[in-house]
Amino acid sequence: MVRIKATVPRRKGRKRVFKKTAGQFGKRKNNYRQAIRSLKKGMAYSYRDRKVKKRDFRALWIVRLNAACREEGITYSRFINGLKNANVEVNRKLLADLAVIDPVAFSKIAALAKQSVSTPAVQAVKA
């Protein structure tokens, strides 16, 4: 009796792996064993970096906000605290875009934050 190898499913699996590693350099794209290793590593990196991307963008927004706040004469932490005291619920992404695109509107928000930062401190001293 002839031994039948699972050629069609095996070729299908290999093609799937090679398709995913098509843009890679050297044996990573055409040697099956190397391609599997490279694919697993790449998938792990892509999973990790989807999380890191969110962190990086938040850090970028905070840096931009801090620079814009300091031009207005207030620190980032006092600015955020002032917005919280004034019940302004605008996220950092929008604030950073506003600081870059429309500085006049951002300066009005910064003035509101400055005003609400100073108010609770004065009230605490009087009590």
Side-chain angles (χ1 to χ4, degrees):
M1 196 132 182
V2 179
R3 178 171 175 243
I4 300 172
K5 297 177 182 177
T7 54
V8 174
R10 184 173 293 164
R11 189 176 304 120
K12 191 175 180 182
R14 285 180 183 221
K15 278 178 78 172
R16 189 180 305 126
V17 170
F18 288 141
K19 191 173 184 180
K20 289 180 181 175
T21 59
Q24 298 194 359
F25 184 78
K27 284 188 175 183
R28 291 171 170 237
K29 69 176 174 276
N30 55 14
N31 184 331
Y32 185 62
R33 213 181 260 187
Q34 294 278 334
I36 286 174
R37 287 185 200 142
S38 178
L39 182 63
K40 285 181 180 176
K41 195 74 154 176
M43 298 293 257
Y45 282 142
S46 67
Y47 176 80
R48 180 199 67 188
D49 290 341
R50 281 194 296 273
K51 314 293 184 254
V52 172
K53 183 180 177 182
K54 294 166 182 61
R55 283 198 301 255
D56 288 345
F57 270 106
R58 185 178 170 95
L60 174 69
W61 299 329
I62 290 172
V63 167
R64 285 181 179 172
L65 278 175
N66 193 14
C69 289
R70 293 200 184 251
E71 286 180 358
E72 297 297 325
I74 187 171
T75 62
Y76 168 77
S77 61
R78 289 184 185 272
F79 174 73
I80 293 296
N81 186 25
L83 290 181
K84 198 171 282 188
N85 289 342
N87 294 325
V88 177
E89 294 183 13
V90 182
N91 62 10
R92 285 162 179 80
K93 178 181 179 180
L94 198 100
L95 286 169
D97 285 345
L98 199 64
V100 172
I101 295 167
D102 192 6
V104 175
F106 183 79
S107 63
K108 290 179 183 176
I109 292 174
L112 178 71
K114 276 187 202 175
Q115 182 183 6
S116 59
V117 164
S118 60
T119 307
V122 172
Q123 290 174 352
V125 171
K126 288 180 182 177

PDB file of all heavy atoms in Angstrom, residues 33-65:
ATOM      1  N   ARG A  33      11.329  26.928   8.467  1.00  0.00           N
ATOM      2  CA  ARG A  33      11.639  26.927   9.898  1.00  0.00           C
ATOM      3  C   ARG A  33      11.948  28.341  10.392  1.00  0.00           C
ATOM      4  O   ARG A  33      11.463  28.766  11.440  1.00  0.00           O
ATOM      5  CB  ARG A  33      12.836  26.016  10.139  1.00  0.00           C
ATOM      6  CG  ARG A  33      12.791  25.304  11.465  1.00  0.00           C
ATOM      7  CD  ARG A  33      14.012  24.454  11.641  1.00  0.00           C
ATOM      8  NE  ARG A  33      13.729  23.067  11.330  1.00  0.00           N
ATOM      9  CZ  ARG A  33      14.594  22.074  11.536  1.00  0.00           C
ATOM     10  NH1 ARG A  33      15.784  22.339  12.015  1.00  0.00           N
ATOM     11  NH2 ARG A  33      14.266  20.853  11.256  1.00  0.00           N
ATOM     12  N   GLN A  34      12.761  29.045   9.631  1.00  0.00           N
ATOM     13  CA  GLN A  34      13.079  30.428   9.980  1.00  0.00           C
ATOM     14  C   GLN A  34      11.839  31.314   9.909  1.00  0.00           C
ATOM     15  O   GLN A  34      11.642  32.201  10.725  1.00  0.00           O
ATOM     16  CB  GLN A  34      14.125  30.980   9.007  1.00  0.00           C
ATOM     17  CG  GLN A  34      15.476  30.328   9.101  1.00  0.00           C
ATOM     18  CD  GLN A  34      16.301  30.912  10.220  1.00  0.00           C
ATOM     19  OE1 GLN A  34      16.096  32.053  10.593  1.00  0.00           O
ATOM     20  NE2 GLN A  34      17.213  30.130  10.751  1.00  0.00           N
ATOM     21  N   ALA A  35      11.012  31.054   8.912  1.00  0.00           N
ATOM     22  CA  ALA A  35       9.812  31.875   8.719  1.00  0.00           C
ATOM     23  C   ALA A  35       8.857  31.724   9.898  1.00  0.00           C
ATOM     24  O   ALA A  35       8.258  32.707  10.341  1.00  0.00           O
ATOM     25  CB  ALA A  35       9.110  31.491   7.422  1.00  0.00           C
ATOM     26  N   ILE A  36       8.719  30.514  10.415  1.00  0.00           N
ATOM     27  CA  ILE A  36       7.835  30.293  11.564  1.00  0.00           C
ATOM     28  C   ILE A  36       8.343  31.067  12.775  1.00  0.00           C
ATOM     29  O   ILE A  36       7.580  31.750  13.456  1.00  0.00           O
ATOM     30  CB  ILE A  36       7.708  28.793  11.889  1.00  0.00           C
ATOM     31  CG1 ILE A  36       6.840  28.124  10.846  1.00  0.00           C
ATOM     32  CG2 ILE A  36       7.110  28.577  13.260  1.00  0.00           C
ATOM     33  CD1 ILE A  36       6.756  26.637  10.992  1.00  0.00           C
ATOM     34  N   ARG A  37       9.664  30.964  13.033  1.00  0.00           N
ATOM     35  CA  ARG A  37      10.242  31.705  14.166  1.00  0.00           C
ATOM     36  C   ARG A  37      10.026  33.201  14.015  1.00  0.00           C
ATOM     37  O   ARG A  37       9.633  33.891  14.960  1.00  0.00           O
ATOM     38  CB  ARG A  37      11.740  31.434  14.260  1.00  0.00           C
ATOM     39  CG  ARG A  37      12.091  30.087  14.768  1.00  0.00           C
ATOM     40  CD  ARG A  37      13.588  29.971  14.935  1.00  0.00           C
ATOM     41  NE  ARG A  37      13.959  28.572  14.970  1.00  0.00           N
ATOM     42  CZ  ARG A  37      15.048  28.073  14.420  1.00  0.00           C
ATOM     43  NH1 ARG A  37      15.893  28.858  13.792  1.00  0.00           N
ATOM     44  NH2 ARG A  37      15.313  26.795  14.502  1.00  0.00           N
ATOM     45  N   SER A  38      10.304  33.675  12.827  1.00  0.00           N
ATOM     46  CA  SER A  38      10.172  35.104  12.563  1.00  0.00           C
ATOM     47  C   SER A  38       8.730  35.566  12.693  1.00  0.00           C
ATOM     48  O   SER A  38       8.453  36.647  13.220  1.00  0.00           O
ATOM     49  CB  SER A  38      10.690  35.390  11.159  1.00  0.00           C
ATOM     50  OG  SER A  38      10.546  36.738  10.851  1.00  0.00           O
ATOM     51  N   LEU A  39       7.803  34.738  12.230  1.00  0.00           N
ATOM     52  CA  LEU A  39       6.389  35.078  12.299  1.00  0.00           C
ATOM     53  C   LEU A  39       5.911  35.143  13.751  1.00  0.00           C
ATOM     54  O   LEU A  39       5.219  36.082  14.136  1.00  0.00           O
ATOM     55  CB  LEU A  39       5.557  34.058  11.520  1.00  0.00           C
ATOM     56  CG  LEU A  39       4.073  34.302  11.449  1.00  0.00           C
ATOM     57  CD1 LEU A  39       3.780  35.596  10.728  1.00  0.00           C
ATOM     58  CD2 LEU A  39       3.382  33.152  10.751  1.00  0.00           C
ATOM     59  N   LYS A  40       6.316  34.174  14.559  1.00  0.00           N
ATOM     60  CA  LYS A  40       5.916  34.178  15.974  1.00  0.00           C
ATOM     61  C   LYS A  40       6.458  35.418  16.684  1.00  0.00           C
ATOM     62  O   LYS A  40       5.755  36.067  17.454  1.00  0.00           O
ATOM     63  CB  LYS A  40       6.427  32.921  16.675  1.00  0.00           C
ATOM     64  CG  LYS A  40       5.646  31.681  16.334  1.00  0.00           C
ATOM     65  CD  LYS A  40       6.187  30.471  17.083  1.00  0.00           C
ATOM     66  CE  LYS A  40       5.410  29.231  16.731  1.00  0.00           C
ATOM     67  NZ  LYS A  40       5.967  28.025  17.367  1.00  0.00           N
ATOM     68  N   LYS A  41       7.725  35.744  16.390  1.00  0.00           N
ATOM     69  CA  LYS A  41       8.339  36.908  17.013  1.00  0.00           C
ATOM     70  C   LYS A  41       7.640  38.193  16.560  1.00  0.00           C
ATOM     71  O   LYS A  41       7.354  39.078  17.361  1.00  0.00           O
ATOM     72  CB  LYS A  41       9.817  36.955  16.618  1.00  0.00           C
ATOM     73  CG  LYS A  41      10.656  37.862  17.436  1.00  0.00           C
ATOM     74  CD  LYS A  41      10.918  37.298  18.787  1.00  0.00           C
ATOM     75  CE  LYS A  41      12.206  37.839  19.341  1.00  0.00           C
ATOM     76  NZ  LYS A  41      12.429  37.361  20.698  1.00  0.00           N
ATOM     77  N   GLY A  42       7.342  38.248  15.267  1.00  0.00           N
ATOM     78  CA  GLY A  42       6.675  39.426  14.738  1.00  0.00           C
ATOM     79  C   GLY A  42       5.287  39.610  15.310  1.00  0.00           C
ATOM     80  O   GLY A  42       4.861  40.733  15.602  1.00  0.00           O
ATOM     81  N   MET A  43       4.560  38.510  15.489  1.00  0.00           N
ATOM     82  CA  MET A  43       3.216  38.592  16.061  1.00  0.00           C
ATOM     83  C   MET A  43       3.287  39.053  17.515  1.00  0.00           C
ATOM     84  O   MET A  43       2.455  39.835  17.968  1.00  0.00           O
ATOM     85  CB  MET A  43       2.510  37.235  15.978  1.00  0.00           C
ATOM     86  CG  MET A  43       2.320  36.741  14.565  1.00  0.00           C
ATOM     87  SD  MET A  43       1.181  37.741  13.653  1.00  0.00           S
ATOM     88  CE  MET A  43      -0.238  36.721  13.690  1.00  0.00           C
ATOM     89  N   ALA A  44       4.301  38.574  18.251  1.00  0.00           N
ATOM     90  CA  ALA A  44       4.472  39.001  19.647  1.00  0.00           C
ATOM     91  C   ALA A  44       4.776  40.497  19.713  1.00  0.00           C
ATOM     92  O   ALA A  44       4.229  41.213  20.550  1.00  0.00           O
ATOM     93  CB  ALA A  44       5.586  38.204  20.319  1.00  0.00           C
ATOM     94  N   TYR A  45       5.659  40.961  18.812  1.00  0.00           N
ATOM     95  CA  TYR A  45       5.984  42.384  18.775  1.00  0.00           C
ATOM     96  C   TYR A  45       4.762  43.226  18.425  1.00  0.00           C
ATOM     97  O   TYR A  45       4.540  44.282  19.008  1.00  0.00           O
ATOM     98  CB  TYR A  45       7.081  42.672  17.757  1.00  0.00           C
ATOM     99  CG  TYR A  45       8.474  42.326  18.210  1.00  0.00           C
ATOM    100  CD1 TYR A  45       9.381  41.783  17.313  1.00  0.00           C
ATOM    101  CD2 TYR A  45       8.895  42.550  19.512  1.00  0.00           C
ATOM    102  CE1 TYR A  45      10.672  41.472  17.703  1.00  0.00           C
ATOM    103  CE2 TYR A  45      10.164  42.241  19.910  1.00  0.00           C
ATOM    104  CZ  TYR A  45      11.056  41.701  18.999  1.00  0.00           C
ATOM    105  OH  TYR A  45      12.322  41.401  19.405  1.00  0.00           O
ATOM    106  N   SER A  46       3.981  42.759  17.454  1.00  0.00           N
ATOM    107  CA  SER A  46       2.828  43.560  17.042  1.00  0.00           C
ATOM    108  C   SER A  46       1.794  43.636  18.158  1.00  0.00           C
ATOM    109  O   SER A  46       1.182  44.683  18.367  1.00  0.00           O
ATOM    110  CB  SER A  46       2.204  43.003  15.760  1.00  0.00           C
ATOM    111  OG  SER A  46       1.623  41.754  15.989  1.00  0.00           O
ATOM    112  N   TYR A  47       1.619  42.542  18.912  1.00  0.00           N
ATOM    113  CA  TYR A  47       0.696  42.557  20.054  1.00  0.00           C
ATOM    114  C   TYR A  47       1.176  43.543  21.107  1.00  0.00           C
ATOM    115  O   TYR A  47       0.423  44.381  21.595  1.00  0.00           O
ATOM    116  CB  TYR A  47       0.589  41.155  20.662  1.00  0.00           C
ATOM    117  CG  TYR A  47      -0.269  41.094  21.891  1.00  0.00           C
ATOM    118  CD1 TYR A  47      -1.649  41.056  21.797  1.00  0.00           C
ATOM    119  CD2 TYR A  47       0.290  41.098  23.165  1.00  0.00           C
ATOM    120  CE1 TYR A  47      -2.442  41.018  22.917  1.00  0.00           C
ATOM    121  CE2 TYR A  47      -0.492  41.060  24.289  1.00  0.00           C
ATOM    122  CZ  TYR A  47      -1.857  41.016  24.156  1.00  0.00           C
ATOM    123  OH  TYR A  47      -2.651  40.991  25.275  1.00  0.00           O
ATOM    124  N   ARG A  48       2.472  43.463  21.417  1.00  0.00           N
ATOM    125  CA  ARG A  48       3.042  44.346  22.435  1.00  0.00           C
ATOM    126  C   ARG A  48       2.969  45.806  21.997  1.00  0.00           C
ATOM    127  O   ARG A  48       2.600  46.683  22.778  1.00  0.00           O
ATOM    128  CB  ARG A  48       4.491  43.952  22.684  1.00  0.00           C
ATOM    129  CG  ARG A  48       5.182  44.801  23.734  1.00  0.00           C
ATOM    130  CD  ARG A  48       6.683  44.713  23.633  1.00  0.00           C
ATOM    131  NE  ARG A  48       7.144  45.312  22.403  1.00  0.00           N
ATOM    132  CZ  ARG A  48       8.405  45.246  21.980  1.00  0.00           C
ATOM    133  NH1 ARG A  48       9.300  44.581  22.670  1.00  0.00           N
ATOM    134  NH2 ARG A  48       8.761  45.835  20.863  1.00  0.00           N
ATOM    135  N   ASP A  49       3.316  46.052  20.742  1.00  0.00           N
ATOM    136  CA  ASP A  49       3.428  47.430  20.284  1.00  0.00           C
ATOM    137  C   ASP A  49       2.081  48.105  20.063  1.00  0.00           C
ATOM    138  O   ASP A  49       2.022  49.330  20.006  1.00  0.00           O
ATOM    139  CB  ASP A  49       4.283  47.499  19.027  1.00  0.00           C
ATOM    140  CG  ASP A  49       5.748  47.212  19.330  1.00  0.00           C
ATOM    141  OD1 ASP A  49       6.135  47.328  20.507  1.00  0.00           O
ATOM    142  OD2 ASP A  49       6.505  46.859  18.409  1.00  0.00           O
ATOM    143  N   ARG A  50       1.020  47.324  19.954  1.00  0.00           N
ATOM    144  CA  ARG A  50      -0.303  47.960  19.924  1.00  0.00           C
ATOM    145  C   ARG A  50      -0.600  48.619  21.260  1.00  0.00           C
ATOM    146  O   ARG A  50      -1.281  49.647  21.314  1.00  0.00           O
ATOM    147  CB  ARG A  50      -1.398  46.931  19.582  1.00  0.00           C
ATOM    148  CG  ARG A  50      -1.478  46.601  18.121  1.00  0.00           C
ATOM    149  CD  ARG A  50      -2.749  45.867  17.789  1.00  0.00           C
ATOM    150  NE  ARG A  50      -2.881  44.572  18.416  1.00  0.00           N
ATOM    151  CZ  ARG A  50      -2.410  43.435  17.921  1.00  0.00           C
ATOM    152  NH1 ARG A  50      -1.757  43.425  16.773  1.00  0.00           N
ATOM    153  NH2 ARG A  50      -2.588  42.302  18.559  1.00  0.00           N
ATOM    154  N   LYS A  51      -0.102  48.050  22.333  1.00  0.00           N
ATOM    155  CA  LYS A  51      -0.258  48.653  23.661  1.00  0.00           C
ATOM    156  C   LYS A  51       0.684  49.838  23.836  1.00  0.00           C
ATOM    157  O   LYS A  51       0.322  50.866  24.387  1.00  0.00           O
ATOM    158  CB  LYS A  51       0.019  47.630  24.764  1.00  0.00           C
ATOM    159  CG  LYS A  51      -0.621  46.278  24.592  1.00  0.00           C
ATOM    160  CD  LYS A  51      -2.114  46.326  24.702  1.00  0.00           C
ATOM    161  CE  LYS A  51      -2.711  44.955  24.611  1.00  0.00           C
ATOM    162  NZ  LYS A  51      -3.358  44.684  23.350  1.00  0.00           N
ATOM    163  N   VAL A  52       1.929  49.673  23.375  1.00  0.00           N
ATOM    164  CA  VAL A  52       2.953  50.708  23.526  1.00  0.00           C
ATOM    165  C   VAL A  52       2.566  51.960  22.740  1.00  0.00           C
ATOM    166  O   VAL A  52       2.832  53.083  23.176  1.00  0.00           O
ATOM    167  CB  VAL A  52       4.336  50.175  23.082  1.00  0.00           C
ATOM    168  CG1 VAL A  52       5.377  51.279  23.039  1.00  0.00           C
ATOM    169  CG2 VAL A  52       4.785  49.076  24.017  1.00  0.00           C
ATOM    170  N   LYS A  53       1.926  51.758  21.599  1.00  0.00           N
ATOM    171  CA  LYS A  53       1.505  52.883  20.755  1.00  0.00           C
ATOM    172  C   LYS A  53       0.593  53.834  21.521  1.00  0.00           C
ATOM    173  O   LYS A  53       0.730  55.053  21.433  1.00  0.00           O
ATOM    174  CB  LYS A  53       0.775  52.331  19.532  1.00  0.00           C
ATOM    175  CG  LYS A  53       0.337  53.346  18.528  1.00  0.00           C
ATOM    176  CD  LYS A  53      -0.367  52.615  17.388  1.00  0.00           C
ATOM    177  CE  LYS A  53      -0.906  53.549  16.360  1.00  0.00           C
ATOM    178  NZ  LYS A  53      -1.615  52.839  15.289  1.00  0.00           N
ATOM    179  N   LYS A  54      -0.312  53.276  22.303  1.00  0.00           N
ATOM    180  CA  LYS A  54      -1.236  54.093  23.097  1.00  0.00           C
ATOM    181  C   LYS A  54      -0.469  54.909  24.143  1.00  0.00           C
ATOM    182  O   LYS A  54      -0.746  56.092  24.353  1.00  0.00           O
ATOM    183  CB  LYS A  54      -2.287  53.205  23.749  1.00  0.00           C
ATOM    184  CG  LYS A  54      -3.218  52.549  22.751  1.00  0.00           C
ATOM    185  CD  LYS A  54      -4.020  51.437  23.395  1.00  0.00           C
ATOM    186  CE  LYS A  54      -4.916  50.728  22.427  1.00  0.00           C
ATOM    187  NZ  LYS A  54      -4.249  50.062  21.317  1.00  0.00           N
ATOM    188  N   ARG A  55       0.506  54.262  24.786  1.00  0.00           N
ATOM    189  CA  ARG A  55       1.326  54.961  25.779  1.00  0.00           C
ATOM    190  C   ARG A  55       2.123  56.089  25.138  1.00  0.00           C
ATOM    191  O   ARG A  55       2.225  57.185  25.689  1.00  0.00           O
ATOM    192  CB  ARG A  55       2.318  53.988  26.426  1.00  0.00           C
ATOM    193  CG  ARG A  55       1.738  53.070  27.443  1.00  0.00           C
ATOM    194  CD  ARG A  55       2.819  52.488  28.319  1.00  0.00           C
ATOM    195  NE  ARG A  55       3.821  51.750  27.601  1.00  0.00           N
ATOM    196  CZ  ARG A  55       3.938  50.427  27.574  1.00  0.00           C
ATOM    197  NH1 ARG A  55       3.069  49.682  28.213  1.00  0.00           N
ATOM    198  NH2 ARG A  55       4.907  49.851  26.910  1.00  0.00           N
ATOM    199  N   ASP A  56       2.707  55.793  23.977  1.00  0.00           N
ATOM    200  CA  ASP A  56       3.541  56.789  23.302  1.00  0.00           C
ATOM    201  C   ASP A  56       2.736  58.018  22.904  1.00  0.00           C
ATOM    202  O   ASP A  56       3.203  59.155  23.054  1.00  0.00           O
ATOM    203  CB  ASP A  56       4.203  56.186  22.065  1.00  0.00           C
ATOM    204  CG  ASP A  56       5.315  55.213  22.418  1.00  0.00           C
ATOM    205  OD1 ASP A  56       5.763  55.216  23.585  1.00  0.00           O
ATOM    206  OD2 ASP A  56       5.744  54.452  21.525  1.00  0.00           O
ATOM    207  N   PHE A  57       1.532  57.800  22.378  1.00  0.00           N
ATOM    208  CA  PHE A  57       0.722  58.937  21.971  1.00  0.00           C
ATOM    209  C   PHE A  57       0.280  59.764  23.170  1.00  0.00           C
ATOM    210  O   PHE A  57       0.290  60.996  23.114  1.00  0.00           O
ATOM    211  CB  PHE A  57      -0.489  58.496  21.145  1.00  0.00           C
ATOM    212  CG  PHE A  57      -0.200  58.448  19.684  1.00  0.00           C
ATOM    213  CD1 PHE A  57      -0.044  57.246  19.037  1.00  0.00           C
ATOM    214  CD2 PHE A  57      -0.070  59.612  18.957  1.00  0.00           C
ATOM    215  CE1 PHE A  57       0.230  57.196  17.682  1.00  0.00           C
ATOM    216  CE2 PHE A  57       0.201  59.590  17.608  1.00  0.00           C
ATOM    217  CZ  PHE A  57       0.356  58.370  16.963  1.00  0.00           C
ATOM    218  N   ARG A  58      -0.074  59.098  24.265  1.00  0.00           N
ATOM    219  CA  ARG A  58      -0.467  59.854  25.462  1.00  0.00           C
ATOM    220  C   ARG A  58       0.705  60.696  25.967  1.00  0.00           C
ATOM    221  O   ARG A  58       0.529  61.857  26.347  1.00  0.00           O
ATOM    222  CB  ARG A  58      -0.968  58.900  26.549  1.00  0.00           C
ATOM    223  CG  ARG A  58      -1.500  59.642  27.774  1.00  0.00           C
ATOM    224  CD  ARG A  58      -2.021  58.670  28.813  1.00  0.00           C
ATOM    225  NE  ARG A  58      -2.311  59.326  30.049  1.00  0.00           N
ATOM    226  CZ  ARG A  58      -3.500  59.780  30.418  1.00  0.00           C
ATOM    227  NH1 ARG A  58      -4.524  59.661  29.602  1.00  0.00           N
ATOM    228  NH2 ARG A  58      -3.683  60.361  31.574  1.00  0.00           N
ATOM    229  N   ALA A  59       1.905  60.133  25.948  1.00  0.00           N
ATOM    230  CA  ALA A  59       3.093  60.875  26.372  1.00  0.00           C
ATOM    231  C   ALA A  59       3.339  62.076  25.457  1.00  0.00           C
ATOM    232  O   ALA A  59       3.698  63.166  25.924  1.00  0.00           O
ATOM    233  CB  ALA A  59       4.310  59.959  26.375  1.00  0.00           C
ATOM    234  N   LEU A  60       3.130  61.889  24.158  1.00  0.00           N
ATOM    235  CA  LEU A  60       3.301  62.988  23.205  1.00  0.00           C
ATOM    236  C   LEU A  60       2.309  64.112  23.489  1.00  0.00           C
ATOM    237  O   LEU A  60       2.675  65.291  23.489  1.00  0.00           O
ATOM    238  CB  LEU A  60       3.116  62.482  21.782  1.00  0.00           C
ATOM    239  CG  LEU A  60       3.126  63.526  20.676  1.00  0.00           C
ATOM    240  CD1 LEU A  60       4.519  64.119  20.526  1.00  0.00           C
ATOM    241  CD2 LEU A  60       2.658  62.922  19.371  1.00  0.00           C
ATOM    242  N   TRP A  61       1.056  63.743  23.746  1.00  0.00           N
ATOM    243  CA  TRP A  61       0.041  64.760  24.042  1.00  0.00           C
ATOM    244  C   TRP A  61       0.402  65.534  25.297  1.00  0.00           C
ATOM    245  O   TRP A  61       0.246  66.759  25.362  1.00  0.00           O
ATOM    246  CB  TRP A  61      -1.337  64.128  24.205  1.00  0.00           C
ATOM    247  CG  TRP A  61      -1.831  63.414  22.995  1.00  0.00           C
ATOM    248  CD1 TRP A  61      -1.563  63.722  21.696  1.00  0.00           C
ATOM    249  CD2 TRP A  61      -2.659  62.262  22.966  1.00  0.00           C
ATOM    250  NE1 TRP A  61      -2.187  62.837  20.862  1.00  0.00           N
ATOM    251  CE2 TRP A  61      -2.872  61.927  21.611  1.00  0.00           C
ATOM    252  CE3 TRP A  61      -3.252  61.474  23.946  1.00  0.00           C
ATOM    253  CZ2 TRP A  61      -3.647  60.844  21.222  1.00  0.00           C
ATOM    254  CZ3 TRP A  61      -4.030  60.400  23.553  1.00  0.00           C
ATOM    255  CH2 TRP A  61      -4.217  60.089  22.210  1.00  0.00           C
ATOM    256  N   ILE A  62       0.906  64.827  26.309  1.00  0.00           N
ATOM    257  CA  ILE A  62       1.261  65.482  27.566  1.00  0.00           C
ATOM    258  C   ILE A  62       2.436  66.443  27.361  1.00  0.00           C
ATOM    259  O   ILE A  62       2.450  67.551  27.904  1.00  0.00           O
ATOM    260  CB  ILE A  62       1.551  64.435  28.662  1.00  0.00           C
ATOM    261  CG1 ILE A  62       0.236  63.759  29.061  1.00  0.00           C
ATOM    262  CG2 ILE A  62       2.234  65.046  29.861  1.00  0.00           C
ATOM    263  CD1 ILE A  62       0.370  62.582  29.984  1.00  0.00           C
ATOM    264  N   VAL A  63       3.415  66.034  26.558  1.00  0.00           N
ATOM    265  CA  VAL A  63       4.565  66.918  26.271  1.00  0.00           C
ATOM    266  C   VAL A  63       4.087  68.182  25.558  1.00  0.00           C
ATOM    267  O   VAL A  63       4.500  69.300  25.889  1.00  0.00           O
ATOM    268  CB  VAL A  63       5.621  66.172  25.428  1.00  0.00           C
ATOM    269  CG1 VAL A  63       6.642  67.122  24.850  1.00  0.00           C
ATOM    270  CG2 VAL A  63       6.307  65.113  26.265  1.00  0.00           C
ATOM    271  N   ARG A  64       3.210  68.016  24.569  1.00  0.00           N
ATOM    272  CA  ARG A  64       2.695  69.173  23.835  1.00  0.00           C
ATOM    273  C   ARG A  64       1.897  70.094  24.751  1.00  0.00           C
ATOM    274  O   ARG A  64       2.013  71.314  24.677  1.00  0.00           O
ATOM    275  CB  ARG A  64       1.813  68.713  22.685  1.00  0.00           C
ATOM    276  CG  ARG A  64       2.604  68.167  21.528  1.00  0.00           C
ATOM    277  CD  ARG A  64       1.692  67.754  20.401  1.00  0.00           C
ATOM    278  NE  ARG A  64       2.472  67.262  19.279  1.00  0.00           N
ATOM    279  CZ  ARG A  64       1.944  66.688  18.219  1.00  0.00           C
ATOM    280  NH1 ARG A  64       0.636  66.513  18.124  1.00  0.00           N
ATOM    281  NH2 ARG A  64       2.712  66.266  17.233  1.00  0.00           N
ATOM    282  N   LEU A  65       1.070  69.481  25.616  1.00  0.00           N
ATOM    283  CA  LEU A  65       0.269  70.284  26.538  1.00  0.00           C
ATOM    284  C   LEU A  65       1.161  71.036  27.521  1.00  0.00           C
ATOM    285  O   LEU A  65       0.897  72.211  27.825  1.00  0.00           O
ATOM    286  CB  LEU A  65      -0.705  69.397  27.310  1.00  0.00           C
ATOM    287  CG  LEU A  65      -1.980  69.041  26.589  1.00  0.00           C
ATOM    288  CD1 LEU A  65      -2.788  68.054  27.416  1.00  0.00           C
ATOM    289  CD2 LEU A  65      -2.797  70.275  26.318  1.00  0.00           C
TER     290      LEU A  65
END
